[in-house]
Amino acid sequence: MKRAWQRMLSGRRLDLLDPTPMDIEIADIAHGLAFVARWNGQTSGDYAYSVAEHSLLVEALFARLVPSATPTQRLTALLHDAPEYVIGDMISPVKAAVGPGYEDLDKRLSAAIHIRFGLPAVTPAPLKRQIKRADRISAWMEATQIAGFSEAEATKLFGRPAPAMIDGLSIRLRPASEARAEFTARHEALLRQIA
């Protein structure tokens, strides 16, 4: 039988076919996401735009979209792409080509991650839609600021965000160590607010 687990830097052994909350560590998630590049690395700048950085932006956008969001809901937004610390970030066309196997793996990892941090295993559909809206705004910002898309092309794909929604926010390109530290700190701050 082929190996279906990965050794994490924390020492945990994560079974990809049957992940358990006990094998999930935020240090592993933050580290992995800080080194996973969005847009398959096809972005301008001296640093890759990481999934950790994207997750921080999505959580900030979600908070603007849903000002009454609870810390639990904001933590769910921050962790919306957390499985990518193990399975990487595939652009939508690749996900479509891979098929349902990728989605199944993503769902299993998401459930284990959510349970580990006290969230519902499955994100309720209304919350998932709100987070997806923030994700699409982030994608528009990324596409136009660092991925070489014209505003017209990005708007066709992701929709144009209201100017007030993105006012004062920007895409940050920085070393993985900085993105990892900020992601970890934000996770801890939200957990403190939940407790």
Side-chain angles (χ1 to χ4, degrees):
M1 182 172 163
K2 294 188 178 187
R3 179 171 70 96
W5 55 268
Q6 179 174 343
R7 175 78 58 203
M8 298 293 156
L9 286 178
S10 65
R12 299 280 189 190
R13 187 171 113 160
L14 182 65
D15 183 337
L16 300 177
L17 299 179
D18 188 22
T20 67
M22 287 181 10
D23 293 323
I24 306 294
E25 296 291 344
I26 193 59
D28 294 330
I29 294 172
H31 182 82
L33 294 183
F35 281 94
V36 173
R38 293 265 299 162
W39 303 92
N40 280 346
Q42 298 300 305
T43 54
S44 59
D46 293 329
Y47 297 103
Y49 184 67
S50 73
V51 176
E53 204 70 67
H54 163 78
S55 297
L56 289 161
L57 179 58
V58 168
E59 191 252 332
L61 288 163
F62 171 75
R64 288 182 176 197
L65 282 169
V66 187
S68 62
T70 66
T72 298
Q73 292 169 327
R74 290 183 70 167
L75 181 59
T76 304
L78 181 70
L79 296 174
H80 80 284
D81 279 339
E84 294 178 8
Y85 86 106
V86 177
I87 58 178
D89 179 40
M90 287 193 202
I91 59 174
S92 295
V94 174
K95 287 179 186 175
V98 170
Y102 179 89
E103 186 178 346
D104 292 344
L105 180 57
D106 184 83
K107 284 180 180 177
R108 284 193 302 272
L109 285 164
S110 286
I113 291 164
H114 285 187
I115 292 167
R116 169 67 174 87
F117 300 113
L119 304 173
V122 177
T123 302
L127 176 57
K128 191 169 189 166
R129 284 191 296 273
Q130 291 169 321
I131 294 169
K132 188 63 181 173
R133 280 186 62 207
D135 195 35
R136 290 177 65 79
I137 294 169
S138 176
W140 187 91
M141 292 175 66
E142 295 163 21
T144 58
Q145 292 181 32
I146 59 171
F149 288 61
S150 69
E151 286 195 9
E153 185 179 20
T155 299
K156 185 176 178 181
L157 292 169
F158 309 113
R160 180 183 296 275
M165 186 56 55
I166 60 175
D167 185 47
L169 296 176
S170 62
I171 301 300
R172 298 182 67 186
L173 301 173
R174 55 185 168 164
S177 59
E178 292 178 20
R180 177 180 61 217
E182 186 172 335
F183 184 92
T184 302
R186 186 67 190 136
H187 179 266
E188 290 172 357
L190 289 167
L191 280 182
R192 280 194 304 271
Q193 291 175 34
I194 292 169

